Amino acid sequence: MKVAVLYDGGWESWDARDVASVWESVKEVQAALKGCGYETTGIPVRAPNDFSWLPKVRRADAIFNLCEGIGGHSRYEDFVVATLELTGVPYTGCRPWAVSVAHRKHVSNTLLARSGAPIPRYVLSNGNKIPPDLTLPVIVKPAAEDASVGIDAGSVCTTKRALKKRLAEMVEQWDEVLVQEYVAGREFNVGFVGEQVLPIAELCFDNMPEGSWPILTYAAKWDVGSPEDLGSVPVCPAEVPAEIHKRIIAVAREAWEALCGAEGYGRVDLRVDAAGQPYVLEVNPNPDISDSAGLSRMAKAFGWEYDELICKIVDEALSRSSPRQAAAALAVGATTTANT
């Protein structure tokens, strides 16, 4: 079976670190797929008006979608996934609707709240006007970005003056800005592959720089070796009391099913307050799938090595396709098992 690995190939606008990061992930996934018996080919998407990749992926038996945008612009991820849906070829990850909604935090929050998932109170900012009905402190972030873009040490505001200043800065850079009540407490991640829930991970902020808020900033996520990176340490599996563990899983599953239909793979980020109430911060369809990222860490805590995680993701994609495609996936898996 041939699996096409689709990825963002927008090299012209990137520095060497961006290129290396994408290539590393592509090579990791291809190596894992080959280890499971699949033939693979890498296919880049180089520009929004470039569709030379489309005939190539249509010739594949399945598509491993690593394309999180085009040229580093995440808004184009929606269009790529929607195009994959129209090809009729099985592809990994969440459906177009879930990906598109998750890119608009105020929309996803509204849908999650209506499904019954507990969400911190929020508003979409009206320019730099201060929201009248939110309790301080609040966190201010772009409404249509992911990967902690736009989140830094000044994102949490404890006074109206600080909030007004922060909003003025943010609306100059982003069209839509979300203001949400800050939940003090422990932060957790729950990963999913289809209906399978993975072990809970916790982000421990004990070593954050003095005076810093315990939040996952852009620097903490991407600036390796920075004080924020060193101060935010993932621990998996998380150590939590049984009752809190049960609540986290229940809330995370509710959010995952409501937004993604328990299809594809993803991560739900939550905060648990002092009373033990979990709140959903975000649902992240198609998160970073590299071997050093959180979903891989959770999978290993579950007993899946990286190769197995990647192949489980392919199996999940094929299982929601035609019976013929699902049978082909099982045949590849059986052959691989027999050869190990």
Side-chain angles (χ1 to χ4, degrees):
M1 177 173 280
K2 296 178 181 179
V3 179
V5 180
L6 192 69
Y7 62 94
D8 185 352
W11 311 125
E12 292 81 0
S13 61
W14 291 359
D15 61 26
R17 186 174 65 172
D18 293 327
V19 175
S21 176
V22 169
W23 261 117
E24 181 180 356
S25 185
V26 170
K27 288 188 291 185
E28 283 180 341
V29 168
Q30 284 190 292
L33 291 171
K34 289 176 183 177
C36 294
Y38 295 109
E39 296 180 40
T40 73
T41 182
I43 300 175
V45 180
R46 298 196 181 278
N49 60 351
D50 168 34
F51 288 95
S52 62
W53 57 273
L54 188 52
K56 299 174 184 177
V57 298
R58 292 188 66 186
R59 289 194 290 267
D61 298 304
I63 304 161
F64 203 105
N65 179 28
L66 289 178
C67 196
E68 299 182 55
I70 301 176
H73 298 288
S74 61
R75 66 182 179 274
Y76 292 119
E77 180 181 11
D78 304 1
F79 304 117
V80 171
V81 179
T83 304
L84 292 179
E85 181 78 10
L86 294 174
T87 65
V89 180
Y91 63 92
T92 62
C94 297
R95 301 281 191 181
W97 185 85
V99 174
S100 297
V101 168
H103 278 156
R104 304 288 298 281
K105 293 180 173 60
H106 55 295
V107 177
S108 61
N109 281 352
T110 299
L111 294 171
L112 289 169
R114 287 182 178 176
S115 77
I119 305 292
R121 294 176 65 207
Y122 66 94
V123 296
L124 192 66
S125 71
N126 180 13
N128 61 352
K129 294 181 180 179
I130 298 177
D133 55 352
L134 292 183
T135 302
L136 295 170
V138 294
I139 184 167
V140 184
K141 53 189 174 182
E145 293 286 351
D146 57 10
S148 293
V149 170
I151 300 178
D152 58 32
S155 292
V156 179
C157 302
T158 59
T159 66
K160 290 185 177 180
R161 182 177 180 179
L163 176 55
K164 186 173 183 178
K165 180 176 182 294
R166 184 67 179 182
L167 282 172
E169 296 169 349
M170 295 290 285
V171 297
E172 288 185 1
Q173 301 178 65
W174 289 280
D175 294 332
E176 295 175 325
V177 177
L178 190 78
V179 183
Q180 190 164 34
E181 291 184 359
Y182 173 78
V183 178
R186 298 169 68 183
E187 184 161 332
F188 298 97
N189 312 130
V190 182
F192 292 88
V193 177
E195 296 182 353
Q196 179 63 60
V197 60
L198 300 178
I200 299 172
E202 180 176 8
L203 274 175
C204 296
F205 297 104
D206 297 342
N207 298 318
M208 287 289 282
E210 186 176 353
S212 298
W213 286 92
I215 59 174
L216 191 66
T217 64
Y218 184 84
K221 194 161 189 176
W222 301 109
D223 189 1
V224 178
S226 68
E228 291 93 338
D229 170 45
L230 299 176
S232 50
V233 179
V235 176
C236 186
E239 294 185 8
V240 290
E243 182 58 33
I244 300 298
H245 186 282
K246 183 178 178 181
R247 291 179 195 171
I248 292 171
I249 294 295
V251 170
R253 189 187 295 278
E254 181 178 25
W256 173 243
E257 291 177 352
L259 199 63
C260 299
E263 292 184 329
Y265 64 93
R267 191 189 72 240
V268 179
D269 302 337
L270 312 96
R271 282 268 173 136
V272 177
D273 67 12
Q277 172 62 56
Y279 289 90
V280 177
L281 301 182
E282 286 189 39
V283 177
N284 294 280
N286 306 358
D288 187 355
I289 199 65
S290 60
D291 195 13
S292 60
L295 200 72
S296 178
R297 187 179 302 111
M298 296 178 210
K300 288 175 181 174
F302 187 64
W304 293 348
E305 289 303 316
Y306 185 67
D307 287 14
E308 189 172 3
L309 168 64
I310 295 302
C311 293
K312 292 284 187 183
I313 288 172
V314 174
D315 289 347
E316 191 279 333
L318 287 157
S319 71
R320 47 189 164 101
S321 303
S322 69
R324 177 183 61 81
Q325 292 160 334
L330 293 173
V332 170
T335 302
T336 304
T337 302
N339 291 336
T340 57

